[in-house]
Amino acid sequence: MFRDSPRSRLFLAVLVTLAVALLVLDSRPGSDPVTSAARVGGEFVFVPVAAGVGWAASPVTALREGMRSESAERVAELEKANADLKAQLQAARIDEERAEQLDELLGLAGLGGYEIVTAQAVTRVTARGYADTVTIDVGTDAGVRPDMTVVNGSGLVGRVTEAGRRTATVTLATDVDSAVGARLEGSRKIGVVNGGSVPGGPEAALTLRLFDLETPVEAGTRVVTLGSHEGAPFVPGVPIGTVDQVQVAPGELSRVARVTPAVDFASLDVVGVVVQGPERDPRDSVLPPRPEEEEGDRS
């Protein structure tokens, strides 16, 4: 260990003086014997010192490089663990959301008396500006056939139009060629719900045309499926949507209303295919309580 003392300071001053002298001599041109001898002497003194310093510093350098390498590996491990944790949390979140959707679907099926086969919407095909069809991951092996009603926990999704052994194609209620027999909540007034807009009607995802031009209908009125013969392609009582605008279209013989769908077609996931309809029309029992009704129950 270097100690600060008069003797050590004198030794350091001599070394510095010799170094300066060697630099001056080394910069002079020619091969003067005196210069050469001084240079050799200087190397004899300084090379071992420099080597000693390098030898002393090498463990520190190696330690620093080792720490850097270990730190980089540790950071990489932590980043991978963090990414894995995020993926697990995302999967758990998706599973939780699907469990909630399944609960809602089973609740709707129970209220309506529908026997269903659960499925997942796996692909969507967009055409003519509408999400016309989805493919689901069940087919004829699970009892699914064309002209069966498809629902989710909120209401009507559409109907099966093609069925393979393990997959099926569902045409959505919003398809421009879709037509569903409908009934107004709390009445016997009927009409048809078409996908998209009708000529002269408002821009809409669903449009209701009532057969009776004199039928009173207001915004906020809810609409359910009327039901088809023997439940194909539509079983009765499934919520379709809510009226939000009413008008009489020029040239139409019926009142036209824009309907907000009960189903969020942009985020379809868990659905159910109704393989057996109800024994009797559930009427409005599948509709969820209105907010004011829920307030009344709480009070």
Side-chain angles (χ1 to χ4, degrees):
M1 181 181 296
F2 182 80
R3 295 183 178 180
D4 188 12
S5 65
R7 186 174 180 179
S8 60
R9 285 197 294 270
L10 176 61
F11 179 69
L12 182 59
V14 171
L15 288 178
V16 172
T17 303
L18 287 174
V20 173
L22 284 174
L23 288 173
V24 173
L25 292 172
D26 193 50
S27 64
R28 296 178 61 184
S31 56
D32 191 322
V34 177
T35 303
S36 300
R39 184 181 301 110
V40 171
E43 290 176 353
F44 178 78
V45 174
F46 285 102
V47 168
V49 174
V53 172
W55 175 83
S58 61
V60 177
T61 303
L63 178 61
R64 185 187 305 130
E65 292 300 323
M67 290 178 65
R68 285 179 179 174
S69 176
E70 184 179 352
S71 177
E73 290 177 0
R74 182 58 178 158
V75 168
E77 290 176 0
L78 290 173
E79 288 178 345
K80 183 179 184 303
N82 188 40
D84 290 344
L85 181 58
K86 286 182 177 178
Q88 291 171 11
L89 289 173
Q90 180 65 18
R93 205 174 293 124
I94 291 172
D95 288 342
E96 184 178 352
E97 290 175 356
R98 285 178 177 162
E100 291 177 358
Q101 291 181 35
L102 180 58
D103 284 345
E104 293 173 355
L105 174 60
L106 295 176
L108 181 142
L111 290 172
Y114 313 130
E115 183 180 334
I116 63 170
V117 170
T118 59
Q120 184 178 347
V122 291
T123 60
R124 179 175 294 123
V125 178
T126 301
R128 300 188 300 279
Y130 293 93
D132 294 318
T133 65
V134 294
T135 299
I136 57 176
D137 61 355
V138 294
T140 55
D141 285 354
V144 174
R145 300 285 186 273
D147 282 340
M148 286 183 169
T149 309
V150 181
V151 299
N152 72 359
S154 299
L156 181 68
V157 172
R159 65 187 179 94
V160 176
T161 48
E162 295 180 17
R165 287 189 57 196
R166 298 181 180 176
T167 62
T169 300
V170 177
T171 297
L172 303 181
T174 50
D175 183 87
V176 293
D177 294 325
S178 174
V180 183
R183 179 180 56 78
L184 296 182
E185 173 188 12
S187 76
R188 296 184 178 276
K189 301 300 182 181
I190 64 174
V192 59
V193 171
N194 297 100
S197 304
V198 297
E203 288 294 322
L206 296 173
T207 301
L208 168 67
R209 289 192 289 185
L210 291 168
F211 296 145
D212 184 355
L213 187 61
E214 302 301 321
T215 297
V217 57
E218 299 177 351
T221 301
R222 295 182 294 183
V223 184
V224 300
T225 54
L226 176 64
S228 308
H229 178 63
E230 296 185 349
F234 299 107
V235 294
V238 181
I240 299 175
T242 304
V243 172
D244 64 20
Q245 181 179 337
V246 183
Q247 71 179 61
V248 178
E252 289 286 328
L253 298 178
S254 58
R255 193 180 296 271
V256 177
R258 183 174 64 190
V259 175
T260 299
V263 169
D264 181 3
F265 289 95
S267 58
L268 286 176
D269 193 357
V270 178
V271 299
V273 181
V274 181
V275 294
Q276 181 65 50
E279 293 182 0
R280 60 181 61 86
D281 189 343
R283 300 295 295 171
D284 300 333
S285 63
V286 184
L287 288 169
R290 290 182 177 275
E292 57 269 23
E293 294 173 357
E294 294 180 344
E295 287 292 338
D297 292 340
R298 284 196 291 269
S299 61

